[in-house]
Amino acid sequence: MIAADFNYEAPTTLDEAISLLQKYGDEAKILSGGHSLIPMMKLRFASPEHIIDINNIPGLSDISIAGDTVHIGALVREAQIEHSAQLNEHFPIFADVTKLIADPQVRNMGTIGGNLAHGDAANDHPAVMIALNATVIATGPDGVRSIPIDEFFLGFYMTALQPDEILTEIQIPMPAAGTGSAYHKLERKVGDYATAGAAVQLTLDGNGVCTYAGIGLTNVNPLPLRAERSEAALLGKTLTDEVIAEAAQFAAEDCNPSADLRGDEEYKRAMVGVLVKRMIHKAAERAVA
Amino acid sequence: MTTPQPPPKTGGGAVRDSFGDLPLLKQEGAGGWSNVAQANKPETINMKKQITVTVNGQAHTAEVEPRLLLVHLIRENLNMTGTHIGCDTSSCGACTILLDGKSVKSCTILAVQANGKSIATVEGMCAPGAPLSNLQEGFKENHGLHCGFCTPGMMMRATELLEMNPDPTEDEIRWGISGNLCRCTGYNNIVKAIQYASAKNRGVEPASTEPQFV
């Protein structure tokens, strides 16, 4: 399958890339890993006139910790995250999630920035970023702006990014002591989108009381979903089986899955409940470990 | 530029087709995708680009359309047909090559993206007449191929896997080749082939070359 014709540009600076976006407007698409964009172009589901390949722009591929914030460049590949000891020491959730994203070859290309900027609730990083309370950094003609993750996803393939902006970085608060995180998705086979997925980050104080709860859900809602009632059900509580069961039940009730080849709505709600429960347990175990 | 409006709170989620598992084209104007009629395309579209790639140590320069896929550059422009096209949807891994040392699916990369980069294909695993590489020997000794269609992709993927993890467990090998499909379902012997190469790479005698038919 061959994509429709397009014009290809490979800028080597961010300024140049933004100028091209200003020039071409929403007829341009940014190419990072390309493993969502190129298949859509090959199937002619998308025919952008201009492709702006940002892979030659330096400075977007680093993972660093500065103060109490982790900075992940938009072009950091999934494989880089999967094997980053620095990141996985503080966020075991990244080892969980990257292992389940597509397959090893795709992870060598796919980027965290692309995974988010694609604006697809079926992607895995959006739920993780909700759980970790991340901030998305966008760079445009007027400079840099910060977008809280809860304001980033606006619709199916729609994000808060403007046509002349590029997602350049993700910032994540460093976890407090006593924090654990976990992600799992139910998938029919390697490379499948999630039937359902749950990302959880918890902080427990010295008495085992939950002082932070972040819970994001994958592919069970038109938008990546924050399970707000589930989070509230955990906050300020000791995580007994009853408390966890209630939080899981809220997530199953509050999502809006659609029936497809992966299962009907009732099944997916049930799986959301199971996954949220398991990931709360796993995150809590890691928090005290 | 229109400001995207938040969607309604309730309802279905992404509609996905059964083939290729890709989202169907969404409504016009949503989120910046555009499907401009090709008749209206500007003149700059499809302007050929000159690229230089190094394949198995040898530099090649070509004038290519931006939409040319890397696998087509390799197979059709450079006439190296060891790299296969299976699913053409980045599922099967038959087109796996090494791009700057990283295993990637060349059906989902544009040839222009490889400009200035180094590519390794199965043709580079050993020179004609030279002894087989440890991986090739492993596949031969362990009946790691039936029809052979997946084999070049399997071996290129296994090359990077063993570089990153010289002594992988069976589980790590199976995860490591999870992006490669063998339609003969000969996975057990493929795993043994990779274990054989791992042992030989490390100077250890490979365990057994008895093929497994379970």
Side-chain angles (χ1 to χ4, degrees):
Chain A
M1 296 174 293
I2 311 290
D5 292 340
F6 58 85
N7 168 44
Y8 174 84
E9 310 263 6
T12 53
T13 66
L14 209 46
D15 285 347
E16 203 186 330
I18 290 163
S19 306
L20 288 167
L21 287 177
Q22 286 183 288
K23 183 172 160 193
Y24 297 136
D26 58 10
E27 268 137 33
K29 283 301 288 182
I30 293 169
L31 175 67
S32 57
H35 276 51
S36 297
L37 176 60
I38 292 174
M40 293 181 80
M41 290 167 63
K42 286 171 68 179
L43 291 164
R44 308 278 176 125
F45 292 154
S47 309
E49 278 185 36
H50 303 275
I51 290 294
I52 308 200
D53 181 351
I54 59 170
N55 286 282
N56 299 304
I57 300 174
L60 299 178
S61 302
D62 301 320
I63 299 171
S64 63
I65 298 175
D68 51 8
T69 306
V70 180
H71 301 257
I72 305 179
L75 285 182
V76 168
R77 313 278 160 185
E78 303 295 357
Q80 216 178 323
I81 295 172
E82 188 179 0
H83 301 293
S84 166
Q86 186 188 28
L87 206 52
N88 288 302
E89 180 192 341
H90 302 289
F91 300 98
I93 196 169
F94 278 118
D96 293 346
V97 66
T98 45
K99 198 179 180 190
L100 294 171
I101 293 174
D103 61 53
Q105 290 96 312
V106 174
R107 293 198 288 274
N108 274 337
M109 290 297 292
T111 64
I112 188 170
N115 194 292
L116 294 171
H118 194 48
D120 189 344
N123 280 354
D124 298 286
H125 280 302
V128 172
M129 293 303 143
I130 286 170
L132 303 185
N133 213 13
T135 301
V136 173
I137 306 300
T139 306
D142 302 325
V144 169
R145 77 184 170 110
S146 302
I147 308 166
I149 195 69
D150 290 319
E151 295 166 20
F152 184 70
F153 300 105
L154 301 181
F156 187 37
Y157 293 156
M158 290 162 67
T159 68
L161 291 170
Q162 297 300 314
D164 56 3
E165 282 182 323
I166 299 175
L167 193 167
T168 45
E169 190 177 280
I170 293 105
Q171 295 181 355
I172 300 169
M174 279 292 280
T179 297
S181 57
Y183 181 81
H184 192 63
K185 76 173 173 187
L186 181 63
E187 59 178 359
R188 298 172 302 173
K189 62 175 189 62
V190 164
D192 192 16
Y193 288 106
T195 302
V200 175
Q201 180 168 261
L202 302 173
T203 304
L204 305 179
D205 71 12
N207 301 317
V209 173
C210 178
T211 57
Y212 171 90
I215 303 179
L217 304 177
T218 299
N219 209 16
V220 288
N221 198 65
L223 295 182
L225 184 66
R226 180 182 288 281
E228 289 177 10
R229 276 206 301 160
S230 306
E231 293 175 350
L234 301 179
L235 272 178
K237 307 251 180 68
T238 305
L239 301 186
T240 61
D241 286 349
E242 291 72 28
V243 167
I244 292 172
E246 187 187 37
Q249 180 61 30
F250 285 153
E253 288 170 9
D254 293 351
C255 64
N256 297 288
S258 52
D260 61 17
L261 293 170
R262 295 175 188 82
D264 59 25
E265 186 188 325
E266 191 185 0
Y267 171 67
K268 290 186 177 184
R269 284 187 192 279
M271 291 307 102
V272 166
V274 170
L275 288 166
V276 167
K277 187 160 87 178
R278 287 186 189 170
M279 291 309 105
I280 291 172
H281 277 293
K282 198 167 178 180
E285 279 165 25
R286 287 171 170 176
V288 295
Chain B
M1 188 179 73
T2 54
T3 305
Q5 295 301 310
K9 291 276 185 202
T10 58
V15 181
R16 283 160 203 285
D17 71 343
S18 56
F19 170 68
D21 229 1
L22 280 158
L24 297 175
L25 182 64
K26 61 189 202 156
Q27 65 275 29
E28 195 180 332
W33 290 102
S34 70
N35 264 283
V36 179
Q38 291 292 310
N40 297 334
K41 67 189 182 185
E43 283 169 13
T44 51
I45 279 201
N46 205 19
M47 197 185 281
K48 285 196 174 182
K49 302 272 176 185
Q50 181 174 307
I51 61 168
T52 300
V53 292
T54 302
V55 183
N56 301 327
Q58 196 184 336
H60 299 268
T61 297
E63 290 262 326
V64 301
E65 285 185 30
R67 61 179 176 167
L68 183 77
L69 296 170
L70 182 55
V71 71
H72 292 136
L73 175 83
I74 293 167
R75 287 178 56 86
E76 289 160 29
N77 296 43
L78 306 180
N79 292 321
M80 300 173 83
T81 53
T83 302
H84 292 166
I85 302 176
C87 67
D88 202 9
T89 57
S90 63
S91 301
C92 79
C95 65
T96 300
I97 55 142
L98 301 184
L99 187 63
D100 281 349
K102 297 286 180 194
S103 57
V104 296
K105 294 182 170 178
S106 60
C107 76
T108 308
I109 295 173
L110 304 170
V112 286
Q113 286 179 271
N115 186 25
K117 292 189 175 1
S118 173
I119 291 167
T121 70
V122 70
E123 285 89 347
M125 286 199 100
C126 78
L132 295 177
S133 68
N134 290 340
L135 261 172
Q136 290 170 310
E137 191 180 296
F139 274 76
K140 174 171 171 263
E141 292 296 322
N142 290 281
H143 296 241
L145 56 155
H146 295 197
C147 82
F149 195 85
C150 71
T151 312
M154 286 284 184
M155 291 199 299
M156 297 319 289
R157 172 61 203 141
T159 300
E160 192 205 356
L161 171 65
L162 292 181
E163 254 164 42
M164 291 191 68
N165 186 356
D167 188 13
T169 63
E170 179 182 337
D171 191 50
E172 285 166 343
I173 293 174
R174 288 183 185 273
W175 268 104
I177 58 168
S178 60
N180 295 71
L181 301 180
C182 166
R183 55 188 181 179
C184 312
T185 69
Y187 295 103
N188 282 340
N189 290 344
I190 292 170
V191 170
K192 291 191 78 177
I194 296 169
Q195 286 170 329
Y196 178 103
S198 159
K200 272 206 107 172
N201 286 351
R202 290 176 290 115
V204 177
E205 187 62 27
S208 159
T209 57
E210 199 59 35
Q212 214 176 63
F213 296 112
V214 286

